[in-house]
Amino acid sequence: MYSCIRKILFLLDAEKAHHLGLSALTLLYKILPKRFFQLVFNIPNYPPVNFDRNNLFPHLKVGLAAGLDKNAQHYQVLAALGFQFIEIGTVTPIPQSGNPKPRLFRLLKDEAIINRMGFNNDGVKRIKKRLIHKPKNIIVGANIGKNKITPNELAVNDYLICFRELYDVVDYFVINVRSPNTPDLRSLQDKEPLLKIVSALKNEEQLLVKNNPSPKPILLKIAPDMTDEQIQDIAEVIQTTNITGVVATNTTISREHLIYEKHPEKYGEGGLSGKPLFDKSLNIIKKLRIFLSSDKIIIGVGGIDTEEKAEQMFKAGAHAIQLYTSFIYRGPSIITAIRKKLHI
Ligand SMILES: Cc1cc2nc3c(=O)[nH]c(=O)nc-3n(C[C@H](O)[C@H](O)[C@H](O)COP(=O)(O)O)c2cc1C
């Protein structure tokens, strides 16, 4: 079924296709009986996962990466397709429209995407409204960032606003200090500014947990384009602030591993995701595993498009994985294949 839908969607502009595809899936999910929806997309009847809210990731293994359900409008259907956790966002305090279009490109033969969306989102207040009545058994994490107009010196306030607003309605947080598409955001990945942001959120957590007995996992999302020294700095921040762990990685600014596309410069700037990213992300996971203590959670993301690659991520030290680009190319079958192989 997905291969037919894909044929039609891939005739359209990539960004329109993403919106249309998700809206169509959501509509089908609402109108079809559950069993029929599962039959149409060949989704097995997964048994419910027994997870511990204080210890989500040893139990939850396959999730959706940030950026597809930016505004928390589709998490129910995405969970029904087999994702065990959904990361919404990146969410910023005030709504922003992102970069001028076109800003999303498919590199079909390389099974990759280049995007420079620029954190387009509805803003934290509207997004929160969509999460207030979230069913408890659907695990949603909020990936939080800063508005483009906020200077880096004040970035910490943006992260705090999103954290406070969403604390009671999501199950975990991801601090996004890395996007190739928000000017200067990368410098927030340096040790000092990073320490400031993460420590501020940890302090805020002390106040928020008073009304909420189980603290929410907090993870840091990082770039794949980093030196060993930078990875070590990141690991030190995670250890010092004692957050839950790391999501590795975001998209890459490199165009190195493209095989078929000989002129990627024609797409302009942006982050590359999908197949060409896998080796880079895997490498970062291996290094993080060396620098981090064994209790720190690693969520592996970047170019996972087969069951074998999912296994490689787990072997390298990931506790859970996330998908984005392979879901666009292969549809729900990639989730089913990975869950089957991992017996989850
Ligand atoms: C179109 C698009 C938009 C994205 N938007 C975000 C975002 O808003 N925040 C974020 O942390 N990551 C974002 N990402 C990065 C993904 O979450 C993921 O880290 C990256 O695509 C690598 O995984 P993949 O190769 O499986 O796609 C985006 C990726 C794509 C393709």
Side-chain angles (χ1 to χ4, degrees):
M1 177 69 173
Y2 185 77
S3 56
C4 301
I5 298 177
R6 197 190 108 138
K7 269 192 195 127
I8 301 166
L9 289 178
F10 276 29
L11 295 172
L12 305 173
D13 157 78
E15 188 169 346
K16 276 199 190 115
H18 279 208
H19 290 304
L20 194 68
L22 282 174
S23 303
L25 277 173
T26 299
L27 181 69
L28 285 176
Y29 174 70
K30 282 187 182 152
I31 59 175
L32 294 178
K34 183 180 168 207
R35 192 67 208 118
F36 196 60
F37 179 84
Q38 287 176 319
L39 273 176
V40 169
F41 292 101
N42 215 358
I43 314 288
N45 217 349
Y46 297 113
V49 189
N50 286 323
F51 55 83
D52 168 0
R53 283 193 179 275
N54 296 318
N55 210 6
L56 289 176
F57 296 108
H59 305 283
L60 305 174
K61 302 270 185 219
V62 185
L64 174 74
L68 188 65
D69 190 14
K70 284 180 186 284
N71 293 314
Q73 288 166 307
H74 305 286
Y75 58 85
Q76 301 224 19
V77 66
L78 291 161
L81 292 173
F83 283 118
Q84 295 177 305
F85 59 102
I86 320 286
E87 197 168 305
I88 58 135
T90 296
V91 181
T92 59
I94 52 174
Q96 58 181 30
S97 55
N99 290 321
K101 294 176 186 172
R103 52 193 181 179
L104 179 60
F105 309 91
R106 292 183 210 103
L107 283 65
L108 278 180
K109 283 190 170 167
D110 283 294
E111 290 181 42
I113 290 176
I114 290 179
N115 93 84
R116 50 170 173 278
M117 304 297 286
F119 290 177
N120 54 310
N121 78 104
D122 289 345
V124 71
K125 287 221 151 63
R126 277 178 74 188
I127 291 174
K128 180 180 182 176
K129 282 191 189 144
R130 299 183 185 126
L131 290 161
I132 287 173
H133 300 296
K134 172 180 86 63
K136 289 237 172 325
N137 63 342
I138 300 183
I139 300 298
V140 171
N143 179 304
I144 56 176
K146 79 165 187 76
N147 278 113
K148 187 175 176 181
I149 54 164
T150 308
N152 272 359
E153 312 80 77
L154 301 179
V156 64
N157 297 334
D158 280 15
Y159 288 93
L160 280 169
I161 290 169
C162 295
F163 190 66
R164 268 184 220 123
E165 283 286 345
L166 297 174
Y167 200 82
D168 291 332
V169 296
V170 297
D171 302 289
Y172 73 95
F173 283 93
V174 175
I175 309 168
N176 190 4
V177 283
R178 168 64 171 101
S179 163
N181 305 316
T182 297
D184 287 337
L185 195 61
R186 261 194 303 156
S187 50
L188 291 183
Q189 213 173 236
D190 293 344
K191 198 169 173 187
E192 287 314 313
L194 193 56
L195 205 52
K196 189 172 158 197
I197 293 169
V198 180
S199 308
L201 294 184
K202 279 301 277 184
N203 290 340
E204 188 67 21
E205 184 186 43
Q206 301 296 317
L207 306 173
L208 293 167
V209 282
K210 282 188 188 143
N211 311 326
N212 198 313
S214 45
K216 313 275 159 112
I218 303 175
L219 300 103
L220 193 61
K221 184 159 181 180
I222 63 167
D225 312 301
M226 281 195 300
T227 61
D228 285 5
E229 204 184 329
Q230 286 171 313
I231 302 174
Q232 214 164 347
D233 279 353
I234 300 266
E236 256 178 65
V237 172
I238 293 169
Q239 296 292 156
T240 320
T241 53
N242 198 22
I243 56 168
T244 310
V246 58
V247 179
T249 69
N250 213 314
T251 54
T252 175
I253 49 172
S254 147
R255 302 291 186 255
E256 262 167 22
H257 296 283
L258 289 168
I259 297 171
Y260 299 95
E261 181 54 73
K262 301 292 179 214
H263 299 287
E265 67 285 354
K266 70 177 181 231
Y267 300 108
E269 288 184 352
L272 173 74
S273 60
K275 214 186 250 306
L277 178 58
F278 180 73
D279 286 345
K280 250 177 187 277
S281 300
L282 186 70
N283 219 2
I284 301 268
I285 307 280
K286 286 181 183 162
K287 289 184 180 155
L288 281 167
R289 198 60 291 163
I290 297 168
F291 297 137
L292 286 172
S293 59
S294 58
D295 59 319
K296 296 297 170 206
I297 297 292
I298 300 179
I299 301 184
V301 51
I304 304 169
D305 59 358
T306 59
E307 312 79 291
E308 290 73 26
K309 286 186 188 163
E311 271 191 328
Q312 274 180 271
M313 278 281 179
F314 284 107
K315 277 200 188 120
H319 298 83
I321 57 162
Q322 289 179 327
L323 314 173
Y324 188 141
T325 305
S326 61
F327 177 65
I328 301 296
Y329 281 96
R330 288 191 51 187
S333 70
I334 181 68
I335 318 170
T336 315
I338 292 174
R339 289 192 63 170
K340 192 171 166 203
K341 177 88 176 179
L342 300 172
H343 305 290
I344 48 172

